[in-house]
Amino acid sequence: MALTAIEVYKHLPKSNCGKCGVPTCLAFAMKLVQKQASLDQCPEVTEETKQALEGSAAPPMATVTIGAGDRAVQIGGETVLFRHEETFHHPCALAVRLSSSLPPAQLAAGIERVEGCRYDRVGMLLGVDLLALEDAGDGSLAEAAQMAAERSSLPLVLMSTDPQAMGAALEHCGAGRPLLYGATAANLDAMVALAKQWDCPLALCATDLHELVALSERAGQAGYGKLLLDSGAKSLSQLLNDQTIIRRAALNKKFKPFGFPTVAVCAAEDPAAQMLEAITAVAKYAGVVIVDPLPDEYLLPIVTARLNVYSDPQKPIQVEAGMHEVGEPTPESPVLVTTNFSLTYYLVEGDVMASKVPAHVLAVDTEGTSVLTAWAAGNFSAESIAEAMNKFALAEKVAHRALVLPGGVAVLKGKLEELSGWEVVVGPRESSGIPLFFRQRGWVPR
């Protein structure tokens, strides 16, 4: 039975030093019980206390690191089923799978494409996190691993059920701590030995949840805990069912065999179907999602879905407040004002670019909220806009004294003119109206 917060508190130093990040030992005990903290955060805890509380204080899901160095990826370590309960801490890793039997030139081109697969989304650079190499069973995995280690900075996933092929590949890339995908009931002991030798995370591959429990328990008995789980789901409905059961069992039931991040290998032949399979895995708790080298129009929705799922709902995505240049504006170019909420700002920027009229855009710090939301909260007011104009020296960067205000907050016009001494022009309510607005004002493309 899990310990209560009071029972945990009895083992703590009771110094209320605050070094763990919370003000009192009792508050820290409550976080331990809720699996929102670990004993390592307390600098005064003794070894006896660690041993006494190890089972109760351990997070319900292990955090596993794939790779080494700056590009290493952490997955797992989640404590909630639903994002609004707290937040998700480690976004799932997206891997693109290449066959080891590809001709060298084609394999090199595939590695280069995966390495450079990046998408600019609301000011964030998104893309693929891992490069997966699938063993074709013809002895080519080692050579493919060598090429990937030389040409790519991404952490690797080695996909093989042959311990001999896996060992040969690790001779070329083991220092990078790749994910070893392919521990089955038949080869578990050999795969665990390789994982221990190279200190690599190991994926357990089962045919169903019952076999997955047995594999996890065997790996634990062998003394290895850097694990990922693959239930072997072959259909979208089974994937959804298995991922949900594993996460609920780990978090709600504290079922230790399932206390690890999961892997979802998407294998639908149709690219659209594979994209939907991957998005489902992203939405339903997968730690690693492996897909084929899909075209960009199918990869982009996957990384966008991941961004949406793993964004902290309490921290809106925002751009840096200040003056931004769209195109190559001159001192005579128009000046627009908006908020620093990313979605709002990039809509404005995109529509200014569509107008082909270079412009200055003043992004006011509204704590990442949209125009009307910020206005209603008092964060986008005549005073805050005038303050931003002074802070970012707007008068020194343009030769005119006209500012375009979003049409939805036209009520600010009079007060802002009074505070700033500038002419305030009420613009369109929606940014999509910017091109027509510019033409009507006589601002034409250069």
Side-chain angles (χ1 to χ4, degrees):
M1 182 180 294
L3 298 178
T4 66
I6 294 298
E7 290 171 329
V8 172
Y9 173 70
K10 292 178 180 178
H11 293 274
L12 297 179
K14 306 179 185 65
S15 61
N16 297 331
C17 65
K19 295 177 182 178
C20 60
V22 292
T24 66
C25 290
L26 181 57
F28 182 61
M30 295 175 67
K31 283 188 169 291
L32 287 174
V33 171
Q34 295 167 359
K35 309 300 181 184
Q36 296 177 1
S38 67
L39 275 174
D40 294 338
Q41 295 172 238
C42 177
E44 299 182 8
V45 69
T46 64
E47 287 300 322
E48 292 77 8
T49 298
K50 286 183 179 180
Q51 294 176 6
L53 299 179
E54 184 178 10
S56 176
M61 178 185 294
T63 299
V64 177
T65 301
I66 302 172
D70 296 338
R71 300 297 293 271
V73 177
Q74 280 195 329
I75 56 173
E78 305 298 349
T79 58
V80 294
L81 282 171
F82 306 106
R83 186 181 65 166
H84 65 266
E85 294 177 316
E86 182 186 317
T87 188
F88 293 148
H89 299 284
H90 298 120
C92 69
L94 178 62
V96 171
R97 170 179 52 191
L98 301 175
S99 173
S100 65
S101 64
L102 289 173
Q106 192 173 344
L107 179 60
I111 293 172
E112 182 179 358
R113 191 230 168 182
V114 175
E115 176 76 15
C117 189
R118 293 289 181 269
Y119 308 99
D120 190 346
R121 178 77 175 173
V122 293
M124 303 174 68
L125 201 59
L126 310 175
V128 175
D129 308 288
L130 306 170
L131 172 61
L133 298 174
E134 186 172 30
D135 184 12
D138 56 0
S140 60
L141 183 62
E143 292 182 6
Q146 181 179 8
M147 180 183 292
E150 293 172 351
R151 293 174 176 263
S152 176
S153 63
L154 293 174
L156 300 181
V157 180
L158 301 179
M159 304 179 68
S160 177
T161 56
D162 181 355
Q164 185 174 355
M166 189 74 81
L170 284 169
E171 293 294 336
H172 298 289
C173 64
R177 296 180 181 175
L179 169 61
L180 311 185
Y181 178 91
T184 65
N187 67 15
L188 180 64
D189 294 338
M191 287 294 190
V192 168
L194 285 172
K196 286 183 176 180
Q197 178 184 348
W198 293 96
D199 192 25
C200 294
L202 176 65
L204 307 179
C205 304
T207 55
D208 56 37
L209 292 177
H210 297 289
E211 184 179 3
L212 189 60
V213 172
L215 285 175
S216 181
E217 290 176 340
R218 281 181 58 191
Q221 291 166 1
Y224 206 68
K226 298 179 181 179
L227 304 175
L228 287 85
L229 310 176
D230 183 357
S231 67
K234 300 301 181 183
S235 67
L236 184 60
S237 61
Q238 193 62 48
L239 172 69
L240 177 63
N241 184 67
D242 289 356
Q243 292 287 329
T244 303
I245 289 175
I246 291 171
R247 176 62 68 90
R248 288 181 176 175
L251 269 57
N252 293 346
K253 302 297 184 181
K254 310 300 184 290
F255 186 57
K256 290 185 178 181
F258 283 170
F260 304 96
T262 59
V263 181
V265 180
C266 304
E269 294 184 3
D270 178 65
Q274 190 170 137
M275 175 193 71
L276 293 175
E277 189 177 354
I279 290 175
T280 301
V282 168
K284 277 300 179 182
Y285 313 130
V288 174
V289 178
I290 302 176
V291 299
D292 291 328
L294 301 172
D296 289 338
E297 60 266 30
Y298 297 109
L299 283 176
L300 179 57
I302 299 172
V303 297
T304 302
R306 179 179 60 180
L307 173 65
N308 293 338
V309 170
Y310 285 91
S311 296
D312 189 338
Q314 301 177 33
K315 297 178 181 178
I317 303 173
Q318 38 190 300
V319 300
E320 184 179 359
M323 286 289 292
H324 297 263
E325 295 183 351
V326 182
E328 297 180 356
T330 69
E332 302 295 334
S333 297
V335 180
L336 299 89
V337 62
T338 187
T339 73
N340 72 328
F341 178 43
S342 285
L343 293 179
T344 297
Y345 173 80
Y346 283 106
L347 282 173
V348 172
E349 181 186 84
D351 288 318
V352 171
M353 293 178 66
S355 75
K356 297 182 172 58
V357 177
H360 304 275
V361 179
L362 175 62
V364 178
D365 186 2
T366 59
E367 300 178 353
T369 53
S370 63
V371 170
L372 291 180
T373 302
W375 171 69
N379 294 330
F380 193 61
S381 60
E383 290 80 5
S384 65
I385 297 173
E387 180 181 351
M389 293 170 67
N390 293 328
K391 178 179 180 180
F392 299 109
L394 182 55
E396 299 176 10
K397 297 177 181 178
V398 296
H400 59 84
R401 294 295 180 267
L403 181 73
V404 180
L405 187 71
V409 290
V411 67
L412 301 178
K413 171 180 167 66
K415 184 67 172 178
L416 182 55
E417 287 183 330
E418 178 184 330
L419 292 174
S420 66
W422 285 48
E423 176 192 1
V424 176
V425 181
V426 177
R429 291 183 62 89
E430 304 293 339
S431 67
S432 58
I434 288 175
L436 176 60
F437 172 78
F438 279 171
R439 290 197 296 272
Q440 292 174 340
R441 291 282 301 183
W443 284 313
V444 295
R446 290 194 291 109

